[in-house]
Amino acid sequence: MTNLFGVQDGGFYGDEGPIAACATALAESALALVRVSGRGCVDLISGCFSRPEALRGAAGNSVVYGWIVDGGRRIDEVLINVYRAPKSYTGEDGMDISCHGGLAAGRAVLQTLYKHGFRPALRGEFSFRSFLNGKIDLTRAEAVLEMVSAKSDKGLGRAVSRLSGVLEQEIRQINKLFLDSLTEIELLLDYSELDGVSADDEALPGRAAVEAALSRLLRLERSYRAEKLYRDGALAVIAGKPNAGKSSLFNLLLREERSIISEIPGTTRDWIEGWISIEGIPVRLADTAGLRESEDALERLGMERSFGLLDEADLVILVLDGASGGDEVMAAAEDFMKARKGASVLPVWNKADLAPPPHGVEHFCAANFCAANFCAANFCAANFCAISAKTGDGLNLLYERIARILEKTAGTAAPDPAGPALGSGRQKTLIDTAISCAENALAMHDEGLPADLIAPSLREAVNCLGEITGEVSSHDILESMFNRFCVGK
Ligand SMILES: Nc1nc2c(ncn2[C@@H]2O[C@H](COP(=O)(O)OP(=O)(O)OP(=O)(O)O)[C@@H](O)[C@H]2O)c(=O)[nH]1
Ligand SMILES: [Mg+2]
């Protein structure tokens, strides 16, 4: 049979043949889950199951106990969840086989299934079948992918919102606005033909609908930066002079003794990094070598690497040694800000347990630095944050400041978590094109062009939105998308 991609073979996306894969990691664990789906899968498993009749007679959404067997040999003691089409993830008959965890058991069960007529599932093939059978649209399929790779609670929450169809509904509603406008244009054109009225004399039918669609598209487009921040995270680099307490702060934020801390200046050479979550934002945090004039070749190499990271940083956490005195701290901050103009910098007054910052340090900062006219955008917006990396005092304020600056840099302040938002670069590209189409249509109308010349732009917008949900999609786009899933999903 020819499958969806025109291939005369069972082993490709789009056929309905029986497939099997391990849905959990093949590693030491209590349980492993082997998932199967496709035409005839219940009969095939019955051929290697200790209680074939119980399995064949099992209703959908029921559990059957028994052994996977190969000839006379027992392979594993399992529980099988049976699903009957269309009430399953894929929309086909399917089963989830709970077997013993670990490398050997899952593999042995899979090998037995392959011997009995299953083929290994391709990446994302279960989700692909779910899409083909109309169980999920493409935005929901992408949300599945996001859930698997979510790094924080907020990232997960947003993926769940897309999985529940919030984005899909918004896209369909916007699409309807374009379609309403197109219907009105077509009516006008038909009417013009009949009555000899020129279409160019008329106002653009459904202009208000196109304007409403455009404003909703622009809202979606803006949502993407926030989504990217919560999904992919940001790079925050801890920098400052040697001995300022950078590694102490790094360890404190990471909650583990990862970096070496010592009173000897120049302790950290190579940069070290780890992931943390700050108010739901995944943050890749890096500790770097202290910045100073040095003759030591290794230390200089370390500093060069620090500079490389600073160039990439979304935020620099500039650690200043409060114990060195107010003038010294301000001079160090000023030097850094001058050297890194335009960077997003959060100055941190460390060692506040030894030397608390002067009263009203925020005002102090504004007075000194804005007047100096080099830090208006970043520095004063952030202000000093006083902490002690030794006692942990001031940490909550630091978390809050980091989150606000990252949100500000991403151009989003606390986006509505329940509202529709884009979740992938693919969706963003298509939304951008739909926006251009809507803008073109309105501009053409402003120039007085007739409705029949404007209609193609609106049709293109409709196509873009259809591609987002998957109503309009070429096979290679689908294949490349589902290829990014893990096997078993
Ligand atoms: N009292 C006090 N001591 C601190 C604080 N933060 C760091 N220290 C001490 O300052 C010294 C230097 O700390 P590190 O964290 O190694 O400093 P660093 O900036 O990473 O130094 P380099 O890696 O050499 O660039 C250590 O002796 C720390 O215990 C603080 O908030 N209070
Ligand atoms: Mg260090």
Side-chain angles (χ1 to χ4, degrees), residues 136-160:
I136 52 171
D137 79 316
L138 279 194
T139 65
R140 295 194 205 208
E142 282 176 304
V144 171
L145 192 62
E146 279 182 66
M147 287 189 68
V148 175
S149 56
K151 293 190 187 71
S152 72
D153 289 353
K154 274 203 182 148
L156 185 68
R158 283 154 188 285
V160 168

Side-chain angles (χ1 to χ4, degrees), residues 94-249:
M95 275 167 275
D96 284 342
I97 306 171
S98 296
C99 29
H100 288 97
L103 285 169
R107 259 197 209 137
V109 168
L110 269 180
Q111 290 308 331
T112 310
L113 300 189
Y114 297 153
K115 264 171 80 178
H116 284 79
F118 285 87
R119 71 162 167 83
L122 303 168
R123 287 175 165 273
E125 197 171 3
F126 294 94
S127 301
F128 184 80
R129 290 183 176 195
S130 179
F131 166 73
L132 276 192
N133 290 323
K135 307 279 288 185
I136 52 171
D137 79 316
L138 279 194
T139 65
R140 295 194 205 208
E142 282 176 304
V144 171
L145 192 62
E146 279 182 66
M147 287 189 68
V148 175
S149 56
K151 293 190 187 71
S152 72
D153 289 353
K154 274 203 182 148
L156 185 68
R158 283 154 188 285
V160 168
S161 140
R162 273 184 284 279
L163 186 64
S164 64
V166 173
L167 176 61
E168 181 192 357
Q169 278 160 23
E170 176 69 0
I171 300 282
R172 290 194 195 282
Q173 283 171 16
I174 297 175
N175 215 3
K176 186 168 178 307
L177 289 170
F178 283 121
L179 289 170
D180 286 349
S181 175
L182 276 168
T183 310
E184 285 190 44
I185 289 178
E186 266 146 36
L187 275 176
L188 171 80
L189 294 176
D190 292 349
Y191 176 75
S192 315
E193 268 170 32
L194 289 175
D195 298 324
V197 179
S198 162
D200 15 325
D201 296 338
E202 303 291 326
L204 177 65
R207 180 177 172 117
V210 177
E211 283 169 342
L214 177 60
S215 105
R216 286 166 81 162
L217 284 173
L218 289 169
R219 205 178 314 138
L220 278 182
E221 192 267 338
R222 282 194 299 273
S223 72
Y224 185 58
R225 288 170 122 198
E227 291 302 310
K228 227 169 123 39
L229 177 66
Y230 285 104
R231 196 195 53 206
D232 300 342
L235 171 64
V237 177
I238 302 179
K241 289 190 171 181
N243 244 6
K246 299 179 297 299
S247 302
S248 305
L249 177 61

Side-chain angles (χ1 to χ4, degrees), residues 399-477:
Y399 280 134
E400 200 188 313
R401 290 269 167 86
I402 294 174
R404 294 296 85 75
I405 296 176
L406 289 177
E407 280 177 354
K408 197 169 159 224
T409 319
T412 157
D416 173 13
L422 301 182
S424 73
R426 182 190 79 87
Q427 295 164 2
K428 165 81 164 59
T429 309
L430 289 162
I431 288 287
D432 283 344
T433 315
I435 287 174
S436 310
C437 293
E439 285 173 342
N440 274 347
L442 293 172
M444 282 195 273
H445 180 237
D446 289 340
E447 284 166 26
L449 293 171
D452 51 349
L453 288 187
I454 299 174
S457 285
L458 299 180
R459 270 186 218 110
E460 199 186 332
V462 167
N463 265 339
C464 288
L465 297 179
E467 258 191 64
I468 293 180
T469 53
E471 277 162 73
V472 187
S473 267
S474 69
H475 296 162
D476 44 347
I477 290 176

Side-chain angles (χ1 to χ4, degrees), residues 240-249 259-269 287-291 319 321 350-354 387-391:
K241 289 190 171 181
N243 244 6
K246 299 179 297 299
S247 302
S248 305
L249 177 61
S259 257
I260 298 172
I261 295 171
S262 92
E263 67 290 347
I264 305 162
T267 304
T268 308
R269 297 287 170 94
D287 179 23
T288 59
L291 304 171
V319 180
D321 185 346
N350 189 31
K351 306 194 187 177
D353 56 311
L354 293 180
I387 62 153
S388 166
K390 195 160 203 164
T391 64

